[in-house]
Amino acid sequence: MRALLALEDGLVFEGRSFTGPGETSGEVIFNTGMTGYQEVLTDPSYAGQLVAMTYPLVGNYGVNQEDVESHRVFVEGFIVKECCKTPSNWRATQSLPDYLAEQGVVGIEGVDTRALTRHLRLHGAKRGIISTEESDPMVLVERARNLPTMEGRNLAEVVSPASPYIWNGTRPEPAPMAADGSYAWPGMPNGDRGIRVLVYDFGIKWNILRLLQEQGMDLLVVPASFTASQVRSVRPDAVFLSNGPGDPAALTSTIEELTALTRDYPMAGICLGHQLLGHALGGSTFKLKFGHHGINHPVQDLSDGHIEVSSQNHGFCVDIDTLEDVALTHMNLNDNTLEGFAHNKLPIIAIQYHPEASPGPHDSRNFFRRFRNLAMEAAGLQANAE
């Protein structure tokens, strides 16, 4: 089925839909991973975006229900050079075309993804439309120009859960209520009390919850709308801010609530959480030209010079020059942008990349141990360096 991809600047690609008829729109970006397309598709941080994969053949190992990072596909559309319809992998339960069609997500193949990627690198991320319904490319181009830009979009409130939940080790479950009407902490599987960490879900990837739990943390996961007074009412030991989509500067009310929490609790953030902590500490963010989306991005830990092979997915960046009492801890070696910071006086750490992913495969897992130790020290417990 003939399909068109039209960008706001007039560039048009003709391809074929491998998911049936449909139309979708969003910010067109590219991901450089050779594998991991299922994790990409189900990462809520991609909400509002059409994702082009730079690797030419996608879908050859199919999909399964074990590798998802959330409860559904969040990309607005999927762009590939060639889609494999007959996967070959013992873990596969479904083909990529069937999976996307079942979720109502439009996929287009036959696109020169090398040319598209080069265009986005030279000119930056663009608004775009994929359509099998409109045959006039100039009509699509004009409609793409009228789409909202990513700047100013609060997409975290779109993907954030409606109410608090706990993590049962494999899936979310509704948070139990305490006798006083507040939310109860789940406790550890053996009945012991772990470090109580309140997790803000701005579009969290499930592997973050798995790795926090592995560090001995009781997790109460709350929506983006959770206020500072609500946080204090459940008396956590620490607060964690997740990844998520959209422009961090648009979350003005959330930033106000987080600012009120920065002096009360140890805090850590990943990706959007990193950016929101930057705002909460008085800083600002800016839009990257085409963002960082993919794996094998080199990041240097400035404390010891160690290089981490990282997974990344962000279109905004914290401006370190706008922060006070904050030390730069990690730097992107591709473009020298900020990848991590720590507060000089408060127990607050944050990184821009994704330590829960596995390109290294475990280069960045120490971030979760660092956060655990901050929380334990604040709670008066003996920190463990292992």
Side-chain angles (χ1 to χ4, degrees):
M1 179 176 293
R2 179 177 182 266
L4 296 177
L5 167 63
L7 306 186
E8 62 177 291
D9 60 0
L11 186 64
V12 178
F13 293 88
E14 182 174 340
R16 303 175 302 277
S17 169
F18 60 86
T19 54
E23 184 173 290
T24 188
S25 61
E27 181 185 54
V28 183
I29 57 96
F30 61 89
N31 183 290
T32 58
M34 295 175 63
T35 60
Y37 53 83
Q38 187 171 348
E39 291 86 342
V40 169
L41 292 169
T42 56
D43 181 352
S45 296
Y46 282 107
Q49 295 179 316
L50 308 178
V51 179
M53 301 299 290
T54 61
Y55 192 69
L57 178 61
V58 178
N60 51 319
Y61 57 84
V63 299
N64 62 74
Q65 292 305 309
E66 297 176 3
D67 293 342
V68 296
E69 287 288 356
S70 66
H71 65 282
R72 68 175 178 88
V73 172
F74 278 92
V75 302
E76 305 298 333
F78 205 43
I79 306 164
V80 300
K81 177 68 173 70
E82 181 182 353
C83 176
C84 176
K85 284 78 171 178
T86 54
S88 177
N89 187 284
W90 67 272
R91 298 177 69 237
T93 58
Q94 202 173 18
S95 71
L96 177 60
D98 289 344
Y99 180 62
L100 290 179
E102 181 179 89
Q103 301 251 343
V105 177
V106 177
I108 182 175
E109 67 173 340
V111 173
D112 187 344
T113 51
R114 292 178 300 175
L116 174 60
T117 299
R118 190 174 192 281
H119 184 80
L120 297 177
R121 280 182 57 85
L122 290 172
H123 304 287
K126 300 295 180 185
R127 293 167 292 176
I129 296 178
I130 301 171
S131 180
T132 65
E133 301 169 355
E134 176 58 64
S135 60
D136 188 335
M138 291 302 102
V139 170
L140 292 177
V141 169
E142 187 60 33
R143 286 171 54 192
R145 290 170 180 163
N146 292 321
L147 293 172
T149 62
M150 191 58 71
E151 291 96 330
R153 295 192 70 184
N154 181 350
L155 292 174
E157 66 179 7
V158 176
V159 304
S160 186
S163 59
Y165 64 88
I166 62 172
W167 178 251
N168 69 9
T170 57
R171 288 291 188 274
E173 291 182 357
M177 301 298 292
D180 61 1
S182 64
Y183 292 99
W185 291 93
M188 301 300 290
N190 61 4
D192 292 341
R193 180 196 187 283
I195 306 164
R196 291 179 172 176
V197 176
L198 182 136
V199 180
Y200 271 94
D201 182 349
F202 302 114
I204 200 166
K205 294 171 66 179
W206 283 353
N207 206 39
I208 293 176
L209 297 174
R210 294 187 189 100
L211 294 175
L212 288 172
Q213 198 172 65
E214 283 180 10
Q215 294 296 322
M217 300 179 183
D218 293 345
L219 307 179
L220 177 62
V221 190
V222 301
S225 59
F226 217 66
T227 65
S229 61
Q230 287 177 301
V231 172
R232 295 188 184 98
S233 71
V234 295
R235 302 178 65 183
D237 297 319
V239 175
F240 185 91
L241 312 182
S242 82
N243 61 294
D247 184 352
L251 279 71
T252 53
S253 60
T254 298
I255 291 169
E256 290 179 6
E257 301 296 336
L258 296 178
T259 300
L261 296 173
T262 54
R263 296 189 178 275
D264 295 340
Y265 302 99
M267 299 181 73
I270 291 175
C271 201
L272 180 65
H274 165 274
Q275 297 160 7
L276 291 172
L277 277 174
H279 278 282
L281 294 172
S284 63
T285 51
F286 60 92
K287 183 86 161 61
L288 294 167
K289 184 176 181 180
F290 48 82
H292 301 163
H293 311 280
I295 56 179
N296 298 340
H297 289 246
V299 169
Q300 185 171 36
D301 184 337
L302 300 181
S303 66
D304 58 10
H306 177 71
I307 308 299
E308 300 178 23
V309 178
S310 73
S311 174
Q312 304 206 5
N313 176 25
H314 58 277
F316 292 83
C317 183
V318 175
D319 185 351
I320 190 65
D321 293 330
T322 63
L323 293 174
E324 297 181 359
D325 289 325
V326 166
L328 187 154
T329 60
H330 295 79
M331 177 178 289
N332 188 299
L333 296 183
N334 285 338
D335 61 6
N336 294 324
T337 53
L338 177 66
E339 291 286 353
F341 65 80
H343 200 278
N344 293 327
K345 301 176 182 177
L346 303 173
I348 295 175
I349 58 174
I351 55 175
Q352 180 61 75
Y353 54 102
H354 284 265
E356 80 288 348
S358 304
H362 303 136
D363 292 18
S364 307
R365 297 289 169 86
N366 66 328
F367 177 77
F368 295 99
R369 292 191 292 273
R370 289 171 57 207
F371 176 51
R372 176 199 63 192
N373 290 345
L374 280 179
M376 291 182 71
E377 290 168 3
L381 303 173
Q382 180 63 44
N384 188 347
E386 295 180 1

